Amino acid sequence: MGLKVSLIQMDVKYAQADANYKRVAQLVEVAVAAKTDVIVLPEMWNVGYALDKLDVLADKGGIRSKAFLSDLARRFHVNIVGGSVATAKESSYYNTSYVFNRNGELCSEYDKVHLFGLMHEDKWITAGTKQNRFAFDGILAAGVICYDIRFPEWERTLMSEGAEILFVSAQWPVERIEQWEVMLRARAIENQAFVVAVNRIGEGPAGEHFSGHSLVIDPLGNVLLRVPDDKEGCFNVDLNLASIEKIRGEIPVFSDRKTNLYH
């Protein structure tokens, strides 16, 4: 089975929600024109890491983001892995991912589990407690956010029930971009799955530079798409999902696991 995936590598404007929603809508239309099957967005695209302004900027209950993404998915009949947005739920703030299918139906809601202390995320954001598996077009997938990829046991847990694609959304700074690629390629090889990873470009509130370097990697660790650094736009790639069965059949790492020893 073939699947066309569109990666939205964009500059996230700090604390400017309206501008970011507008830009996402524009880039989604570019992806739709390419007759894509699934669109993937970066992390915290609604307001960036404006953590000290979440009382004003966080999307209350995710209402705006869910309505926005659902409408785009339904109107253009496309699946959307909605990166993540800053949300306010009850008395806490979260880094939340939403996934919508072609009918505009919510497939998944995931609050980032591993919070990144170096950007003070753990000071402002509450960690999630649930796994993130979902399906669209009959395809099993899983999703994580940025710092999550440093925990291979988390990805293995998510991918152990047959998921064929791991989606990653991030705000990963340029000074650690080589680690980004190495870890993503490792996650693909370990889990014999496609990895679709979208990183932002632009400048962060503390002077961080984000170069993008979004990637699509096949189950053998080969890079199918390496988006040019510092370039905004929609970037497309076709995935041959039929290759997964052959690869997993030749080296059956999931059935060969000795989980009783992994403690």
Side-chain angles (χ1 to χ4, degrees):
M1 177 180 177
L3 186 79
K4 176 171 278 191
V5 178
S6 295
L7 287 68
I8 302 298
Q9 182 169 284
M10 60 178 281
D11 183 4
V12 177
K13 300 300 183 183
Y14 177 70
Q16 298 179 47
D18 290 345
N20 291 322
Y21 280 97
K22 181 178 180 180
R23 187 59 177 144
V24 166
Q26 292 170 341
L27 291 169
V28 163
E29 292 202 29
V30 174
V32 169
K35 302 187 185 308
T36 193
D37 295 302
V38 55
I39 298 168
V40 191
L41 301 175
E43 180 186 17
M44 294 283 271
W45 59 261
N46 64 335
V47 296
Y49 265 79
L51 299 180
D52 60 346
K53 299 177 176 61
L54 291 179
D55 58 333
V56 175
L57 295 174
D59 186 0
K60 305 297 189 294
I63 292 173
R64 180 180 184 181
S65 300
K66 287 188 284 188
F68 174 75
L69 295 172
S70 176
D71 175 70
L72 289 171
R74 181 176 59 254
R75 180 152 44 101
F76 295 117
H77 196 59
V78 66
N79 304 291
I80 298 179
V81 178
S84 77
V85 292
T87 61
K89 293 185 277 190
E90 296 180 349
S91 59
S92 299
Y93 303 115
Y94 295 87
N95 184 338
T96 305
S97 175
Y98 299 112
V99 178
F100 288 88
N101 65 19
R102 295 179 188 271
N103 298 320
E105 299 165 338
L106 182 65
C107 299
S108 173
E109 177 175 337
Y110 168 68
D111 297 320
K112 186 177 181 181
V113 166
H114 302 95
L115 303 179
F116 192 48
L118 201 58
M119 291 178 68
H120 309 295
E121 192 175 28
D122 55 339
K123 178 181 176 182
W124 301 95
I125 300 288
T126 297
T129 59
K130 296 180 180 178
Q131 298 175 6
N132 188 27
R133 297 190 187 94
F134 50 90
F136 52 75
D137 294 356
I139 300 163
L140 297 178
V144 296
I145 302 172
C146 204
Y147 188 43
D148 282 336
I149 70 168
R150 288 187 180 271
F151 301 87
E153 62 272 34
W154 183 235
E155 279 73 31
R156 176 52 57 89
T157 298
L158 293 171
M159 304 301 288
S160 64
E161 295 185 6
E164 297 179 320
I165 308 173
L166 176 68
F167 291 98
V168 183
S169 297
Q171 291 208 24
W172 195 284
V174 67
E175 61 263 33
R176 293 185 291 278
I177 206 67
E178 289 187 9
Q179 297 174 23
W180 159 259
E181 179 164 336
V182 169
M183 286 189 287
L184 290 171
R185 295 179 74 175
R187 299 298 90 82
I189 296 167
E190 291 163 353
N191 295 294
Q192 298 175 319
F194 288 95
V195 170
V196 177
V198 178
N199 191 31
R200 67 162 290 187
I201 63 171
E203 307 303 318
E208 314 97 329
H209 178 66
F210 300 94
S211 63
H213 203 87
S214 300
L215 295 161
V216 178
I217 303 161
D218 77 9
L220 296 175
N222 301 305
V223 176
L224 303 179
L225 174 67
R226 183 182 285 109
V227 176
D229 288 357
D230 301 306
K231 185 174 182 180
E232 184 172 70
C234 169
F235 302 88
N236 307 307
V237 66
D238 292 304
L239 306 185
N240 176 19
L241 298 178
S243 65
I244 293 178
E245 183 177 1
K246 179 177 185 294
I247 292 166
R248 291 180 175 178
E250 291 175 347
I251 307 177
V253 295
F254 286 100
S255 60
D256 286 346
R257 296 169 71 210
K258 305 296 183 184
T259 55
N260 60 308
L261 300 177
Y262 304 157
H263 298 289

